[in-house]
Amino acid sequence: MSAERPRKDYRKDKQIKIHQPDADKVDKFNPSNQIYVRAVEGMWTTLRRRMGWIAMLGFMLLPWIPYGDRQAVYFNLAEQKFHIFGLTIWPQDLTLLAALLMIAAFGLFFVTTYLGRVWCGYTCPQTVWTFIFIWFEEKLEGSRNKRIKLDKMPWSFNKLWRKTAKHSAWLSFSLLTSMTFMSYFVPTTEIYTEVFTLQASGLIYFWVLFFMFATYGNAGWMREIMCIHMCPYARFQSAMFDKNTFIVGYDTQRGESRGPRSRKADPKELGLGDCIDCDLCVQVCPTGIDIRNGLQYECINCGSCIDACDQTMERMGYDKGLISYTTENKLEGKHEHVVRPKLVGYGITMVVMCGVFMLALFHVDPVRLDILRDRNQLYRETDAGLVENTYTLKILNKTEQAQQYHFSANGLTDYQWIGPKTIKVDAGKVYTLPISIAVDPYDLKLPITKFNIKVIEENKNKDVEVEQETRFFGP
């Protein structure tokens, strides 16, 4: 089916009639309208596939990398420890994780301001997994036209086995994705062994099935609905865009007025631009938009329409680049500004935060000391006439080996330490140590004296010291 509607010729002030493709009539905001993505080859498609493979293989293989007696990346929620190769992050160090997420956010802002939504088009898991599922679709159901025809056909053995094979492949890959994701929280060999031998707990089976069907629904059924209706990034990206941001853009001045013609025909004699209205740019778009309608928030900058258009231009003998990565200023014939205040601001903020993060990372103490005072009694007087305060020390060994710690008090004169002054704490354990400190009341100048309790980790390489301030109460 085709329809006719007037389009304005941007080079001549007149109304002309041109072909209107079916894709323009599809309501892309209606989730019930299925988009059949056409396969395309080209430079940007190849780049996207390779980056997708890198991202997917990194996700799949990372849990299998060993590091000592555990896997290299392991988020142990039960013991509240996050292992990333030689780094162990405890709940007390989650400010580092928050800082890392902030760095990632400003990095995304910087890249978006400069290159548009390349994150969505090349590395977003939704996009990567969607194209993997489309690949299964093409291999089992055929090309775009064959898939459309197959869906319109009545049910038969051919349609049944193709649909069954496709959904089986989707569910199998979703299960692999779910198991891989769970491997970051449960030891890899343990989860695969227990799940497939039916020895896993009900909680693990619940999360495996949950993430499996979430992947199956997102990449198999929802696809562009996630990008158009649910992704918050698509909504606030316009705050980072400006007229110098690189976008996938259609050269209206060169392409309009669009219309079909033979290869030998001279478009100027026909009063046409370079766009032959083949509709391939719409057919290859994973979100089903027509890039010729201008900048749209649904565009994920994947470059598929660029590859499709370049192939058409090459077949027609025209110059490539009718659709390209460009800027609004360039399309309007204005000067481009690569360096601009917003981009510089994002860059400086990201560099500063990276520096602060690295500084904090290299100064993470391998031991943590928390001091709790006895709240039932401020102080008591001993039979020897000394003033005694009671404390509870909590020592967390944040290393992977057992450590020996020695305690002392700084800021009190001639004190008595009542309790062990040297202890040994196993790796990753918290040791609770009740102690008392007694002082002669004649040595106390004030009713409340501030002092520090110091813990020293006796290490072969160097001694690590951590101090915590507390208070001593007297008469």
Side-chain angles (χ1 to χ4, degrees), residues 18-34:
I18 68 168
H19 173 67
Q20 167 66 16
D22 285 343
D24 280 357
K25 297 187 295 182
V26 174
D27 181 9
K28 61 178 178 291
F29 294 102
N30 187 349
S32 63
N33 289 327
Q34 182 176 352

Side-chain angles (χ1 to χ4, degrees), residues 273-428:
D274 285 355
C275 179
I276 67 172
D277 213 14
C278 62
D279 200 32
L280 290 179
C281 58
V282 181
Q283 295 178 19
V284 301
C285 179
T287 58
I289 65 171
D290 190 341
I291 197 62
R292 296 169 296 182
N293 293 335
L295 179 63
Q296 299 154 73
Y297 76 87
E298 301 94 339
C299 177
I300 62 173
N301 269 30
C302 66
S304 295
C305 56
I306 300 176
D307 289 333
C309 187
D310 282 349
Q311 291 179 5
T312 300
M313 294 295 103
E314 189 174 14
R315 286 195 296 267
M316 295 298 296
Y318 302 160
D319 293 334
K320 296 180 181 180
L322 179 60
I323 301 176
S324 63
Y325 282 108
T326 183
T327 66
E328 288 188 78
N329 275 341
K330 186 175 181 180
L331 290 174
E332 295 171 2
K334 299 178 181 179
H335 180 67
E336 296 178 283
H337 298 279
V338 176
V339 180
R340 52 228 193 243
K342 182 164 62 174
L343 186 65
V344 173
Y346 285 141
I348 292 176
T349 304
M350 184 174 61
V351 171
V352 170
M353 292 187 65
C354 285
V356 173
F357 173 79
M358 295 303 296
L359 185 65
L361 183 63
F362 286 112
H363 286 81
V364 173
D365 294 321
V367 57
R368 181 180 177 90
L369 171 65
D370 291 317
I371 304 173
L372 301 177
R373 276 189 43 82
D374 183 4
R375 299 188 180 278
N376 296 321
Q377 188 177 27
L378 291 180
Y379 68 92
R380 75 179 187 90
E381 294 184 2
T382 66
D383 295 338
L386 301 179
V387 177
E388 182 180 285
N389 283 206
T390 302
Y391 305 88
T392 299
L393 308 184
K394 290 185 177 293
I395 304 92
L396 169 61
N397 179 6
K398 296 161 67 175
T399 67
E400 297 295 316
Q401 298 84 29
Q403 301 290 348
Q404 187 164 300
Y405 300 103
H406 179 74
F407 298 93
S408 63
N410 294 337
L412 295 176
T413 58
D414 196 20
Y415 66 89
Q416 292 184 14
W417 184 284
I418 305 170
K421 296 195 71 172
T422 301
I423 61 171
K424 186 176 182 180
V425 183
D426 292 333

